[in-house]
Amino acid sequence: MARDIIPPLLLIILAATFTSPVTANSDGDALYALRQNLKDPDNVLQSWDPNLVNPCTWFHITCNQDNRVTRLDLGNSKLSGHLVPELGKLEYLQYLELYKNNIQGPIPAEIGNLKNLISLDLYNNNITCNIPSTLGKLKSLVFLRLNDNRLTGRIPRELIGVSSLKVVDVSSNNLCGTIPTTGPFEHIPLNNFENNPRLEGPELLGLVSYDTNCS
Protein backbone atom coordinates (compact mmCIF):
# COMPACT_ATOMS: atom_id res chain seq x y z
CA MET A 1 0.00 0.00 0.00
CA ALA A 2 2.84 2.38 0.82
CA ARG A 3 4.05 2.28 -2.77
CA ASP A 4 0.65 3.65 -3.92
CA ILE A 5 1.00 6.84 -1.86
CA ILE A 6 2.23 9.82 -3.92
CA PRO A 7 4.58 12.11 -1.94
CA PRO A 8 3.10 15.58 -1.25
CA LEU A 9 5.92 17.35 -3.15
CA LEU A 10 5.23 15.26 -6.25
CA LEU A 11 1.54 16.14 -6.02
CA ILE A 12 2.43 19.84 -6.06
CA ILE A 13 4.67 19.37 -9.11
CA LEU A 14 1.98 17.41 -10.94
CA ALA A 15 -0.63 20.05 -10.15
CA ALA A 16 1.60 22.82 -11.50
CA THR A 17 2.30 20.78 -14.63
CA PHE A 18 -1.36 20.33 -15.47
CA THR A 19 -2.66 23.75 -14.47
CA SER A 20 -0.05 26.23 -15.69
CA PRO A 21 -0.71 25.72 -19.44
CA VAL A 22 -4.37 26.56 -18.88
CA THR A 23 -3.43 29.86 -17.27
CA ALA A 24 -0.87 30.66 -19.95
CA ASN A 25 -3.29 29.77 -22.72
CA SER A 26 -6.06 32.08 -21.49
CA ASP A 27 -4.36 34.89 -23.42
CA GLY A 28 -4.14 32.68 -26.48
CA ASP A 29 -7.84 31.85 -26.25
CA ALA A 30 -8.71 35.55 -26.17
CA LEU A 31 -6.50 36.35 -29.16
CA TYR A 32 -7.78 33.39 -31.14
CA ALA A 33 -11.33 34.65 -30.56
CA LEU A 34 -10.19 37.90 -32.18
CA ARG A 35 -8.65 36.04 -35.10
CA GLN A 36 -11.91 34.19 -35.67
CA ASN A 37 -13.68 37.54 -36.11
CA LEU A 38 -11.17 39.09 -38.51
CA LYS A 39 -10.64 38.74 -42.24
CA ASP A 40 -6.94 38.52 -43.02
CA PRO A 41 -6.22 38.73 -46.76
CA ASP A 42 -2.43 38.91 -46.29
CA ASN A 43 -2.28 36.03 -43.77
CA VAL A 44 -0.54 38.11 -41.12
CA LEU A 45 -2.24 35.93 -38.49
CA GLN A 46 -1.11 32.64 -40.00
CA SER A 47 1.15 31.86 -37.01
CA TRP A 48 -1.72 32.19 -34.51
CA ASP A 49 -2.02 28.49 -33.69
CA PRO A 50 -4.52 27.81 -30.86
CA ASN A 51 -2.89 24.43 -30.15
CA LEU A 52 0.26 26.02 -28.71
CA VAL A 53 0.62 26.32 -24.93
CA ASN A 54 0.76 30.12 -25.13
CA PRO A 55 0.77 32.75 -27.90
CA CYS A 56 4.23 34.14 -27.20
CA THR A 57 5.68 32.60 -30.39
CA TRP A 58 2.98 34.16 -32.58
CA PHE A 59 3.94 36.99 -34.89
CA HIS A 60 2.81 40.50 -33.84
CA ILE A 61 2.60 39.45 -30.16
CA THR A 62 4.95 40.45 -27.34
CA CYS A 63 4.96 38.74 -23.94
CA ASN A 64 6.54 39.39 -20.57
CA GLN A 65 8.81 36.97 -18.70
CA ASP A 66 5.74 35.14 -17.37
CA ASN A 67 4.46 34.45 -20.89
CA ARG A 68 1.59 36.90 -20.59
CA VAL A 69 0.72 39.07 -23.57
CA THR A 70 1.78 42.72 -23.21
CA ARG A 71 1.59 43.98 -26.82
CA LEU A 72 -0.64 43.36 -29.81
CA ASP A 73 0.86 45.04 -32.90
CA LEU A 74 -1.39 44.73 -35.95
CA GLY A 75 -1.40 48.26 -37.29
CA ASN A 76 -1.73 48.71 -41.07
CA SER A 77 -2.33 45.00 -41.68
CA LYS A 78 -5.35 45.15 -44.04
CA LEU A 79 -7.55 43.46 -41.46
CA SER A 80 -11.32 43.77 -41.44
CA GLY A 81 -14.02 42.42 -39.15
CA HIS A 82 -14.92 43.14 -35.54
CA LEU A 83 -13.27 43.47 -32.15
CA VAL A 84 -14.35 40.92 -29.53
CA PRO A 85 -15.20 41.14 -25.81
CA GLU A 86 -12.53 38.51 -25.09
CA LEU A 87 -9.86 41.19 -25.54
CA GLY A 88 -10.79 42.35 -22.06
CA LYS A 89 -9.24 39.15 -20.67
CA LEU A 90 -5.70 40.18 -21.67
CA GLU A 91 -5.03 41.49 -18.18
CA TYR A 92 -1.34 42.29 -18.77
CA LEU A 93 -1.83 44.02 -22.12
CA GLN A 94 -0.13 47.42 -22.34
CA TYR A 95 -0.33 48.24 -26.06
CA LEU A 96 -3.31 47.52 -28.30
CA GLU A 97 -2.26 48.64 -31.79
CA LEU A 98 -4.89 48.04 -34.49
CA TYR A 99 -4.70 51.32 -36.39
CA LYS A 100 -5.08 51.73 -40.18
CA ASN A 101 -7.20 48.66 -40.84
CA ASN A 102 -10.85 48.27 -41.83
CA ILE A 103 -12.25 47.14 -38.49
CA GLN A 104 -15.97 47.77 -38.05
CA GLY A 105 -18.50 47.61 -35.26
CA PRO A 106 -18.23 48.89 -31.69
CA ILE A 107 -15.38 49.09 -29.22
CA PRO A 108 -16.20 46.35 -26.68
CA ALA A 109 -16.96 47.68 -23.21
CA GLU A 110 -14.68 44.94 -21.87
CA ILE A 111 -11.63 46.90 -23.09
CA GLY A 112 -12.15 48.84 -19.86
CA ASN A 113 -10.91 45.77 -17.95
CA LEU A 114 -7.35 46.21 -19.26
CA LYS A 115 -5.97 47.85 -16.14
CA ASN A 116 -2.38 47.86 -17.48
CA LEU A 117 -3.21 49.38 -20.86
CA ILE A 118 -0.95 52.31 -21.80
CA SER A 119 -1.84 52.82 -25.47
CA LEU A 120 -5.14 52.23 -27.29
CA ASP A 121 -4.61 52.96 -30.99
CA LEU A 122 -7.67 52.24 -33.11
CA TYR A 123 -7.43 55.21 -35.47
CA ASN A 124 -8.15 55.00 -39.20
CA ASN A 125 -10.72 52.21 -39.11
CA ASN A 126 -14.50 52.10 -39.57
CA ILE A 127 -15.42 51.67 -35.91
CA THR A 128 -18.96 52.72 -35.02
CA CYS A 129 -21.20 53.33 -31.99
CA ASN A 130 -20.24 55.19 -28.81
CA ILE A 131 -16.90 55.45 -27.04
CA PRO A 132 -17.46 53.12 -24.05
CA SER A 133 -17.63 54.86 -20.69
CA THR A 134 -15.69 51.89 -19.30
CA LEU A 135 -12.51 53.38 -20.80
CA GLY A 136 -12.61 55.63 -17.75
CA LYS A 137 -11.37 52.63 -15.73
CA LEU A 138 -8.07 52.55 -17.64
CA LYS A 139 -6.00 54.33 -15.00
CA SER A 140 -2.70 53.57 -16.75
CA LEU A 141 -3.81 54.88 -20.15
CA VAL A 142 -1.52 57.50 -21.72
CA PHE A 143 -2.43 57.40 -25.43
CA LEU A 144 -6.03 57.21 -26.69
CA ARG A 145 -6.21 57.58 -30.48
CA LEU A 146 -9.65 56.95 -31.97
CA ASN A 147 -9.55 59.48 -34.78
CA ASP A 148 -10.77 58.80 -38.33
CA ASN A 149 -13.54 56.37 -37.49
CA ARG A 150 -17.34 56.61 -37.45
CA LEU A 151 -17.87 56.96 -33.71
CA THR A 152 -21.03 58.63 -32.43
CA GLY A 153 -22.31 59.88 -29.07
CA ARG A 154 -20.53 61.98 -26.49
CA ILE A 155 -16.98 61.98 -25.20
CA PRO A 156 -17.33 60.00 -21.96
CA ARG A 157 -16.87 62.24 -18.93
CA GLU A 158 -15.41 59.23 -17.16
CA LEU A 159 -12.18 59.94 -19.07
CA ILE A 160 -11.72 63.09 -17.00
CA GLY A 161 -10.64 60.85 -14.13
CA VAL A 162 -7.81 59.22 -16.10
CA SER A 163 -4.99 61.48 -14.89
CA SER A 164 -2.32 59.59 -16.85
CA LEU A 165 -3.81 60.60 -20.23
CA LYS A 166 -1.42 62.70 -22.31
CA VAL A 167 -2.83 62.20 -25.81
CA VAL A 168 -6.51 62.05 -26.78
CA ASP A 169 -7.43 62.25 -30.47
CA VAL A 170 -11.05 61.73 -31.49
CA SER A 171 -11.00 63.96 -34.57
CA SER A 172 -12.86 63.02 -37.76
CA ASN A 173 -15.75 61.11 -36.25
CA ASN A 174 -19.41 62.00 -35.70
CA LEU A 175 -19.30 62.77 -31.98
CA CYS A 176 -21.74 65.13 -30.31
CA GLY A 177 -21.94 67.20 -27.13
CA THR A 178 -19.17 69.38 -25.77
CA ILE A 179 -15.42 68.99 -25.37
CA PRO A 180 -14.29 68.36 -21.76
CA THR A 181 -12.02 70.99 -20.26
CA THR A 182 -11.03 69.49 -16.91
CA GLY A 183 -8.56 66.83 -15.80
CA PRO A 184 -6.23 65.67 -18.59
CA PHE A 185 -8.36 67.53 -21.17
CA GLU A 186 -6.91 70.83 -19.96
CA HIS A 187 -3.83 70.12 -22.07
CA ILE A 188 -5.34 68.42 -25.14
CA PRO A 189 -5.23 70.70 -28.23
CA LEU A 190 -8.60 71.52 -29.82
CA ASN A 191 -7.54 70.20 -33.22
CA ASN A 192 -7.67 66.71 -31.69
CA PHE A 193 -11.46 67.15 -31.68
CA GLU A 194 -11.99 68.74 -35.08
CA ASN A 195 -14.11 67.33 -37.93
CA ASN A 196 -16.93 66.27 -35.62
CA PRO A 197 -19.81 68.35 -37.04
CA ARG A 198 -22.01 67.94 -33.95
CA LEU A 199 -19.30 68.43 -31.34
CA GLU A 200 -19.28 71.78 -29.56
CA GLY A 201 -16.82 73.21 -27.15
CA PRO A 202 -14.87 73.66 -25.15
CA GLU A 203 -17.66 73.22 -22.63
CA LEU A 204 -18.64 76.07 -20.34
CA LEU A 205 -18.89 74.41 -16.96
CA GLY A 206 -22.31 74.84 -15.42
CA LEU A 207 -23.64 76.69 -18.47
CA VAL A 208 -23.78 74.12 -21.27
CA SER A 209 -24.95 70.53 -20.98
CA TYR A 210 -22.26 68.12 -22.11
CA ASP A 211 -24.76 66.10 -24.19
CA THR A 212 -26.00 69.03 -26.25
CA ASN A 213 -26.74 68.10 -29.88
CA CYS A 214 -26.81 64.40 -28.97
CA SER A 215 -30.58 63.89 -29.25
Side-chain angles (χ1 to χ4, degrees), residues 87-197:
L87 286 172
K89 298 178 180 179
L90 300 171
E91 59 180 318
Y92 289 89
L93 192 67
Q94 296 178 333
Y95 296 87
L96 180 53
E97 308 295 323
L98 286 165
Y99 54 87
K100 292 186 180 180
N101 285 293
N102 189 29
I103 295 170
Q104 300 121 29
I107 300 171
E110 289 80 2
I111 295 293
N113 296 332
L114 302 176
K115 62 183 180 179
N116 292 299
L117 197 65
I118 293 171
S119 179
L120 178 58
D121 282 327
L122 301 177
Y123 60 89
N124 281 106
N125 279 285
N126 279 298
I127 297 171
T128 56
C129 301
N130 295 355
I131 301 172
S133 60
T134 53
L135 298 189
K137 299 191 298 180
L138 300 176
K139 302 305 182 183
S140 298
L141 194 65
V142 178
F143 306 101
L144 176 61
R145 301 183 182 97
L146 305 176
N147 50 291
D148 295 277
N149 279 287
R150 294 192 291 139
L151 293 163
T152 55
R154 65 185 181 92
I155 299 171
R157 264 37 190 186
E158 289 80 0
L159 290 173
I160 292 172
V162 184
S163 59
S164 55
L165 267 178
K166 301 297 182 186
V167 175
V168 176
D169 194 340
V170 294
S171 59
S172 299
N173 280 285
N174 192 27
L175 299 173
C176 60
T178 54
I179 299 170
T181 57
T182 57
F185 288 89
E186 292 181 22
H187 308 291
I188 305 299
L190 286 177
N191 59 3
N192 286 18
F193 304 95
E194 65 186 9
N195 296 326
N196 285 280

Side-chain angles (χ1 to χ4, degrees), residues 70-87:
T70 57
R71 290 188 69 111
L72 172 57
D73 291 295
L74 286 169
N76 200 20
S77 297
K78 299 182 181 178
L79 299 172
S80 62
H82 297 79
L83 303 178
V84 294
E86 286 85 351
L87 286 172

